[in-house]
Amino acid sequence: MPESGGFHDLIATEEIAAGQSREGRDGAESRAGSPSPSSRKVYVAVGRNMKEERNKLLWSLEAYQGAKVVILHVHQPDQMVPGPFGGKMHASKLKASELKAFRELERQEMTQAIDGYLLLCASKKVEAERLVIESEDVGKGIVELVAQHEIEELVMGAAADKNFSKRMKTPTSKKAIYVNQHALPSCRIRFVCKGTHIRTREPYASLSSPAVTPSPTHPSSGSEGGRRSSSFSRWFGSPQSNYANSPSPEDAIGRTEEVPRSLSLNSVGTTWSSCEDGQCLSSRASSSTLSMERTGGEDGPPMEPGVDAPIAADRSFPQTETSEEQFQQQSLEMEGMLARLKKAMEEAQASKKEAFQESQWRQQAEQEALEALRKARIAEVLSAKEQRLRKEAEAALSKERLELEKLVEQHKDAVEEIREMSVEKASLERSITEVVRELEEKNQKLDDLLHALDEMEREKLEMQRQMEDAMAKVEELNIRQEEFGEASRMAHSFTEFSLAELVDATNGFDPGLKIGDGGFGTVYRGRIRYTTVAIKMLNSESMQGGSEFHQEVNVLSRMRHPHLVTLIGACTESCALVYEYLPNGSLEDRLSCKDGTPPLTWQARTSIAAEICSALLFLHSAGVVHGDLKPGNILLDSKLSAKIGDFGICRLLPEQDSTVSLCVTTNPKGTFAYMDPEFLATGELTRLSDVYSFGVIILQLLTGRPPLWIARDVQKAHFARNLQAIIDPTAGDWPFVQAVQLANLGLECCNMSRRCRPDLETEVWRVLEPLKGSLAPSTHSMVTDSRRPPEYFICPIFQEIMRDPQVAADGFTYEAEALLGWLDSGHDTSPMTNLKLSHLNLTPNRALRSAIQEWCSHS
């Protein structure tokens, strides 16, 4: 970096030595003046990440109020680009068209980022524009923009925000250090980190010292000339050394015309004035003062380059007198020095242009050499391939020659056989005539048999219809028997709640606590016995409300699985069910981002698909077909783990049938878009009907689209090899291989033919289990060591997980050991309410104990 003000002071001295007119100097003075607020510009260097650069821009808008803001950005193309399978590869390995498309995508993202900065300026009512350049090095790009546009005010970062420290006094990033050392001296640079001003590099032209009044007494002119020459050499140095520390020749020569013409010899540091009584001249060696300030003097320590220290006004050399001849001689020496400097700059510029042209020629030659090498390699590959094909053709030709010889021998044998067969043909024709006659007689008999068979088929259909009606009546009787039989057994398999408890838990069924509503009834969020639960009130007007209530209680009270909704209790008098509360709602709500909830990631969706498959395998092994599997009946807990609910219309299959056991019904129920087409047509519900519904859910997890015609859309995109176009973009960067696997699996499950659908255990689970296992443990695990038990698993007395839960007369569930200890100590009151117990009998809570044991086995 040149010394403060060095290059611009040389240009100003050259203009004075050339004897420019007073009018030109006046124009330069007006241009060098401080700009008005309306025309003032501040350039803010920003990066791609607006989140990290926001504080810097806000600081600039606050510090430069009323000024026009220019968003300065150096676009640095990425050398490592995403590969086809999720990795990284060098940009040189891509084809020209692919690299061009990737660069265009990079520029679009860069434009969107800069638009975000402009919108922020617009929100602060600040006029703003953009200035963008593309460079392999960000620091060099900023320096180039400063030189091209003669930037006077620049704000840039001192370091990354994460490296900010209150002790930071100077910039620490390589870009900031490079710009501080190589940017134009006339540019003021403010370095900011995390919205805090770190340091300012003042323009070197502003460091000129004020004029000093000449002293009436001066030393001899000889000593003054030596002192002035020493001051000049210490400030400017030799032309070669000064050029080595100056900006590049292109930048210096390009800005020669834009240096303020108002600069006089004061800019260099020497002021000349004449006395009225004669040729009395005074000088002020402010340049020597500046040199001493920069170097620290003979005894003081040298100052750090780039530090904006003001020049002390009281440090000056003695004022002396000199002669007019010495002044003219020094002026001539200065003109010669400036001429040599300008010539050196022109030569450097020409050398730089030649070097740039030579670099371009060398690059072109390297590209031609690489292209020739590539063609040579292609020729070698083609030659090897041609030799291999020639050898294969020769081998095939020899093989065909042998086969031809064999065919000739076979032809001779065939001719002989034909001669023998011609003799047999005559005898066969006679035999055929007799067979045809016998065949006509048998056809007549066959027609009679077919007519009798049709009659039997009609009788069979009539008998089948009668059998179906009988089975429907038997099923209806079984359902009624279950309604009456289960009522006596439910008290021993789950907790019975009263209607009054449900009213208190929901504040009188407050509409604000409603979390779900549909044809089945209404779901409320409530709090029973210090536990948050979900209360499902079945619709009393539904004809199937009672049967669905007993059906769901019958299934959930005897089955436990990590991905089935846990039934806590029920209220038989109002047909209400009490479940565990799942805070993340249904899968349908999360796929549609209801109430502004964030979208599910592709890891969570893959894990949810595997968990649903696991629950279906458990249900089918127990002989249960859900019959109404859809995202609305799949709930998510706090860890986004899936749990299947709503078993009101499920069916139990006979135990002797393994895979395609049927449960015939004359009135299919469920949601149309998720129902098995064969179930709709025939009324036959099987395990494969759940597989069809599960396939639709897989395709919804993959695409985020509505269920109607989703299989057709995915199949079209898959055949067109455009699957990426319909994958849900909100799920993140879904691995393409995994997305293809899920798409194939979903399409197989959605096959219209029941026989062509895959088996859950042998085919579907073998695909989903490795996909779920490949996820990171922190993304979405079904069971983790840190999983907390539900509140209703904890004993209110011991504050530990209960092993033998017992229900007391106050309605609360306790650990048997804790409650017996409480009663044995002489207490006859409730540990929770301190009210007297109506009796001291305990009732085992078997449903809760089963749920706790299931949870403990997985935890």
Side-chain angles (χ1 to χ4, degrees), residues 807-809 819-820 823 827-829 837-843:
V807 181
L819 189 56
L820 290 175
L823 297 176
H827 295 90
D828 59 352
T829 58
L837 298 172
S838 60
H839 58 82
L840 301 181
N841 298 327
L842 303 180
T843 303

Side-chain angles (χ1 to χ4, degrees), residues 92 94-95 366-382:
S92 61
L94 292 178
K95 297 180 180 179
E366 291 177 354
Q367 292 179 353
E368 293 176 354
L370 289 174
E371 182 66 20
L373 181 60
R374 185 181 67 83
K375 292 181 178 179
R377 290 178 179 174
I378 293 174
E380 291 177 0
V381 173
L382 293 177

Side-chain angles (χ1 to χ4, degrees), residues 393-411:
E394 291 176 353
L397 184 60
S398 60
K399 184 177 181 181
E400 289 179 357
R401 188 175 298 145
L402 294 175
E403 292 178 354
L404 182 60
E405 293 176 356
K406 292 180 181 179
L407 289 175
V408 171
E409 295 294 331
Q410 293 176 1
H411 178 69

Side-chain angles (χ1 to χ4, degrees), residues 10 13 226-238 268 270 287-288 330 333-334 337-338:
L10 287 176
T13 306
R227 217 184 276 103
R228 191 164 56 245
S229 174
S230 173
S231 173
F232 183 85
S233 62
R234 287 163 65 184
W235 173 246
F236 289 95
S238 64
V268 181
T270 305
S287 63
S288 298
Q330 289 186 353
E333 291 175 357
M334 187 180 299
M337 185 182 300
L338 292 174

Side-chain angles (χ1 to χ4, degrees), residues 677-690:
E678 289 197 17
F679 175 45
L680 289 172
T682 64
E684 296 176 351
L685 182 65
T686 70
R687 294 180 176 92
L688 294 176
S689 300
D690 282 349

Side-chain angles (χ1 to χ4, degrees), residues 598-654:
L600 294 172
T601 63
W602 65 268
Q603 295 96 333
R605 300 184 188 204
T606 303
S607 185
I608 287 171
E611 291 166 354
I612 297 173
C613 182
S614 173
L616 285 179
L617 282 172
F618 174 77
L619 290 174
H620 291 176
S621 65
V624 177
V625 177
H626 190 279
D628 193 18
L629 190 64
K630 59 182 180 180
N633 291 337
I634 298 171
L635 305 178
L636 303 177
D637 64 5
S638 59
K639 297 181 180 295
L640 296 181
S641 181
K643 291 178 180 286
I644 300 177
D646 198 351
F647 289 82
I649 63 172
C650 67
R651 290 292 181 268
L652 301 177
L653 299 179

